[in-house]
Amino acid sequence: MSTTTPGRWQFWIDRGGTFTDVVARRPDGGIATHKLLSENPERYRDAALAAIRHFLGVGPGEAIPVERIEAVKMGTTVATNALLERKGEPTVLVMTRGFRDQLRIAYQNRPRIFDRHIRLPELLYRKVVEVDERVGARGEVVSPLDEARARSDLAQAFAEGYRSAAVVFMHGYRFPAHEARVAELAREAGFTQVSASHEASPLMKIVSRGDTTVVDAYLSPILRRYVEQVAGELPGARLMFMQSSGGLTDAHRFQGKDSILSGPAGGIVGMVKTAERAGFGKVIGFDMGGTSTDVSHYAGELEREFDTLVAGVRMRAPMMAIHTIAAGGGSVLQFDGQRQRVGPDSAGANPGPACYRRGGPLAVTDCNVMLGKIQPAFFPKVFGPGGDEPLDAAVVREKFAALAGEIARATGRAQPPEEVAEGFLKIAVANMANAIKFISVQRGHDVTEYTLACFGGAGGQHACLVADELGMTQVYIHPLAGVLSAYGMGLAQVRALREEAVERRLEEAQAELEERTARLGEACAAELGAQGAAVERVDRRVHLKYEGTDTALAVALGSTQTMRADFERLYRARFSFLMPDRALIAEAVSAEAVGRSDAPEERVDGGKAGLPPATPLEHVEMTSGGERHRTPVFDRDALGPGRAFPARRSSPSATPPRSSSRDGRPRSRRSTTWYCAASPRGACATPRARRPTR
């Protein structure tokens, strides 16, 4: 990227479902943070712009002094929420005649095979226009394109109010002439958003290619309106957005298909960059926010998925490998008369959990308030209608007392409110631990060899419980963990990634692979150049699979022997066997240009040994493991590098964690001493756990 301009601000923003996190880099290089509710219509129209006004000292309604801003880098859930809630742009699907129901029929998968009533996901498109055309698998024209009828049908759809079109033709990924012509006709008819499959997802498999194209048409107008809203108040500012693949791009190049994991991708980049600088090479990312929890795996290389299912929609677009569950600080607590449940419903930002003073339901955050793990006196006063009140602990106690009574009447077992809160918390922790097992243990990774990299606004409240559940012995928390997804926007690099289908045997395609990846790499580098970014490197990859199978794995472009060896290593790790008698197929190729970073370098400092223990601000009552504890509260900013603060040992009567060692034997409870081990910009920064002692 371009060199940093002195004397100007940078804003790195993650607009989440509950909170909007902002990290600001001051003109002098210092870092400041701010956190706002994403939805607070009484106080501001947009949280990101409200935060920028806060830092620049600009009042509501006043023009933002853009000349003081160097760059704004954002991740947003605007498109994600529109997809989940099915509130995207009304879209018409333009399809080869005879295939109008192809995306509805799809693969006829039944994830819940014993359900007697199958509920299919709601389709994103509302109307289908069938076009007389057909190109064969080898490029032969089976049926010529009827332009006159296509023009007439598109005009009729436009007259009905549609402004977004997705053009998906049979074999259009390889022979795009008909798609390109019909896309041109759609624009001539007045459609303001036209997505063609050979541009949105130029790969095989019409179902996932078609779904990806429809998603792009469905979400891009929503994104465009949000981009224009932000850009309208920041005229001339350099505005960039995070893509699902983990790279930044210019706001006007940001597309719907690349926006699904925009916010979480920033968290992964931030987690990886900060963990590596602190010396951790194998980490499990644990990002718990207000609405959901995202977990990820890292062992030296960013993991991406090219075939994903999001909200019932199949997509073929590069995304960070992130597993998301509906367990966040705002996940609603429910009792159905027989059992306690956590989520999937969320209280969101408005009204939020009960303690937010907006009449919300009990949620996971309220459990921590009830147990004393969140102390309102030490929490920002940003709640209530005026956004200036502390958390409401009284209403939390009142609601938990009522819920405890309801449970007692239904089950005949009386429990104190604290026990009810801990019961809900255990359910949430088990859900999060199972999510981590899904991306680690189920893929052959020994989770006990990893460090749990904890971030997100609610992550620190549950990290140790989750680590105990999994038998993990180290938890890493960066000083900006609560806003690490926003911090990751600043650490990320501009990236451009392109793919192209091949479908040839590896041994026969070496020269073609070289030519195609070189051409794609040049296009990616040119895209970075158009955004003013200097190219640091271009990565070229080949997606290989066994003949007759569907699972392709990406390896670096190299000799045939090297690529085969790399593929077999990855395949054995994933599936525990090989098929040496089958030929390898090069399904697709991809190239990615990575821009040079202007991210700040953190100085890692182990501090001095032998410093006296930190002095607590206060001692408070807290419930943990079914027991009350008198617990010290420390000011994080006052903890210098190397200054220890021994954790309180659990009572001998406390129940040991349910984790087990690699050989299946139960682990004993361990005590962990924490100390400040890393220090960005000279301040105490990164708590890091020593090796625990038995």
Side-chain angles (χ1 to χ4, degrees), residues 23 51 53 85 100 116 147 186-187 215 221 237 292 330 338 346 397 399 428 449 510 584 588 628 631 667:
V23 176
R53 292 176 183 278
E85 299 169 10
R100 64 176 301 121
R116 297 172 65 186
E147 288 194 21
R187 294 187 182 96
V215 165
S292 61
Q338 294 180 313
S346 174
R397 285 191 293 270
K399 289 198 171 191
E449 297 176 354
Q510 184 68 39
L584 282 184
R628 296 289 287 176
T631 308
R667 293 183 180 273

Side-chain angles (χ1 to χ4, degrees), residues 62 69 141 160 195 204 338 460 468 510 574 596 643:
E62 296 180 36
I69 300 174
V141 177
E160 293 174 11
S195 299
M204 281 188 68
Q338 294 180 313
D468 279 347
Q510 184 68 39
R574 177 74 64 89
R596 195 167 296 130
R643 193 178 297 277

Side-chain angles (χ1 to χ4, degrees), residues 274-275 278-280 451-455 460 463-464 473-482 484 602 604-606 634-645 672-680 683-691:
T274 55
F280 298 107
T451 296
L452 187 67
C454 162
F455 55 107
C464 291
T473 60
Q474 288 194 125
V475 174
Y476 168 70
I477 305 178
H478 189 271
L480 297 176
L484 198 68
E602 292 185 345
V604 178
D605 181 6
F634 296 91
D635 182 351
R636 179 64 186 78
D637 292 336
L639 297 174
R643 193 178 297 277
F645 48 108
T672 303
T673 299
W674 294 82
Y675 67 96
C676 274
S679 177
C684 175
T686 310
R688 177 179 173 185
R690 278 190 200 154
R691 294 277 180 194

Side-chain angles (χ1 to χ4, degrees), residues 490-623:
L491 301 181
Q493 296 155 283
V494 180
R495 292 172 181 257
L497 192 153
R498 298 196 178 194
E499 307 166 280
E500 196 172 272
V502 178
E503 286 298 322
R504 288 192 60 193
R505 289 197 173 197
L506 178 61
E507 291 78 6
E508 304 168 357
Q510 184 68 39
E512 182 179 351
L513 299 178
E514 293 277 356
E515 184 275 327
R516 288 192 181 215
T517 55
R519 175 167 43 80
L520 291 175
E522 290 172 1
C524 291
E527 185 175 328
L528 259 61
Q531 300 181 56
V535 178
E536 181 179 283
R537 68 178 191 276
V538 176
D539 298 326
R540 298 190 288 172
R541 302 181 183 90
V542 180
H543 301 253
L544 299 176
K545 64 181 181 181
Y546 280 123
E547 190 171 32
T549 68
D550 285 332
T551 303
L553 301 176
V555 301
L557 177 69
S559 66
T560 300
Q561 294 76 15
T562 301
M563 290 190 288
R564 177 180 288 277
D566 289 344
F567 171 81
E568 290 179 346
R569 174 178 54 80
L570 293 173
Y571 199 91
R572 185 185 293 277
R574 177 74 64 89
F575 301 108
S576 301
F577 69 94
L578 298 176
M579 293 186 279
D581 56 328
R582 293 206 184 187
L584 282 184
I585 303 297
E587 179 186 74
V589 291
S590 63
E592 181 178 28
V594 182
R596 195 167 296 130
S597 174
D598 68 349
E601 289 293 328
E602 292 185 345
R603 180 172 62 85
V604 178
D605 181 6
K608 298 178 181 179
L611 292 175
T615 303
L617 295 174
E618 188 180 328
H619 284 78
V620 299
E621 292 296 318
M622 186 187 82
T623 300

